[in-house]
Amino acid sequence: MDESYPVQATATTMRVVEELLDRGTAGVTELARELDLSKGAVHNHLKTLNQLEFVVREDRQYRVGSRFLDLAARARETMPVYRAARSEVARLARSSGEVAALVVEEHDAAAYILVEGNEAGETAVREGIRRPLPADAAGRAILAHRPEDEIRSLLTDSERPTDDDRVATTETALLDDLRTVREQSVAFDREEQADGTRSVAAPLTTDEGRAVGAVCVTGPANRMTGKRLEEDITGLVVSSANSISVDLF
């Protein structure tokens, strides 16, 4: 357990929540064993969460409650980039016929805060998913517009796959890739995250040139190919990014 948190009890509560999410439902004994905590400690955390209505008790089992959904929805509504982008992302999903998403940077990760058009479940993209910035098309679209010294301080070789020749695996190669992204204002994922899935992303940039987010389209590789990927879908994504940026700034 990481002992560096200023309030260890809060960190433990979140460990309990995340383990409960992974399991769907679980009892005190099961959670205590998996988290290497005493049953009394787990019981107290669960009892508090239940009283606050963040978990639900059903017989002797607990599950994460929907109050987290309410918090997330309310938090998202406070973000200007979400309010500016939501209608355009929905339009992008319709016009592309693929999954469209709004992505922001949080704690050096690409956080997907809005996803439209994934009803068929053809991609692993979902609201709430987080990926390392360098390993994600939308993340690279954002990262490329940071100062280079900030990029260098973020990068580690472990953040990118090292056994796949489709992606840059060294700092030098990744910096070159990000310079190209910055020049073209578009980033691609050609089956880097998952075989059979491709993405294209464009940044939402301020007048000063910093990116506050990105929009992307993701779809099956058999549809996201050739002219449709390189021109048609890319054109739609860039157009949506420009429209959102105008509304936002």
Side-chain angles (χ1 to χ4, degrees):
M1 182 188 301
D2 191 334
E3 301 291 341
S4 64
Y5 299 109
V7 182
Q8 193 62 42
T10 303
T12 301
T13 294
M14 296 313 300
R15 289 181 65 212
V16 171
V17 169
E18 289 177 351
E19 186 67 27
L20 198 54
L21 275 173
D22 288 343
R23 293 179 174 275
T25 62
V28 171
T29 301
E30 181 181 357
L31 289 171
R33 181 177 61 251
E34 293 301 319
L35 296 171
D36 195 23
L37 297 170
S38 71
K39 289 194 289 185
V42 170
H43 177 266
N44 287 338
H45 283 283
L46 288 172
K47 184 176 181 180
T48 302
L49 286 165
N50 186 51
Q51 288 177 340
L52 292 171
E53 300 180 1
F54 285 108
V55 304
V56 176
R57 182 179 180 181
E58 297 171 338
D59 296 325
R60 292 179 175 270
Q61 299 285 297
Y62 292 85
R63 63 173 175 83
V64 174
S66 61
R67 190 171 182 192
F68 281 105
L69 179 61
D70 176 53
L71 283 184
R74 288 165 58 193
R76 187 172 66 173
E77 286 286 349
T78 68
M79 303 171 68
V81 67
Y82 169 74
R83 297 196 300 271
R86 54 190 168 188
S87 61
E88 183 62 31
V89 171
R91 188 200 66 78
L92 179 59
R94 292 193 300 270
S95 60
S96 67
E98 305 293 353
V99 177
L102 171 65
V103 181
V104 298
E105 180 274 326
E106 289 185 348
H107 300 287
D108 292 331
Y112 282 67
I113 65 169
L114 175 63
V115 175
E116 295 281 358
N118 202 26
E119 292 82 3
E122 292 182 302
T123 75
V125 174
R126 59 172 174 77
E127 290 182 356
I129 195 172
R130 298 163 68 86
R131 294 169 172 167
L133 288 174
D136 181 83
R140 292 196 298 279
I142 296 170
L143 184 61
H145 290 78
R146 284 189 179 184
E148 193 161 297
D149 59 338
E150 289 187 21
I151 297 174
R152 288 182 182 276
S153 69
L154 172 68
L155 297 181
T156 62
D157 289 343
S158 63
E159 289 176 315
R160 297 278 294 207
T162 58
D163 58 352
D164 190 335
D165 60 10
R166 292 172 297 189
V167 296
T169 58
T170 67
E171 180 177 302
T172 299
L174 184 51
L175 286 170
D176 288 343
D177 181 40
L178 291 173
R179 291 188 190 102
T180 300
V181 171
R182 184 165 57 248
E183 291 168 2
Q184 298 179 350
S185 289
V186 66
F188 293 92
D189 179 335
R190 294 180 172 88
E191 301 184 70
E192 298 169 19
Q193 279 293 324
D195 287 341
T197 301
R198 293 177 180 169
S199 301
V200 57
L204 309 177
T205 54
T206 67
D207 292 339
E208 293 76 29
R210 193 170 183 106
V212 299
V215 290
C216 68
V217 164
T218 301
N222 64 339
R223 293 202 301 262
M224 299 277 286
T225 188
K227 177 180 177 294
R228 185 168 189 268
L229 172 65
E230 304 290 341
E231 298 181 22
D232 300 343
I233 298 293
T234 296
L236 291 173
V237 171
V238 171
S239 177
S240 288
N242 290 339
S243 177
I244 295 166
S245 295
V246 168
D247 289 343
L248 187 58
F249 305 113

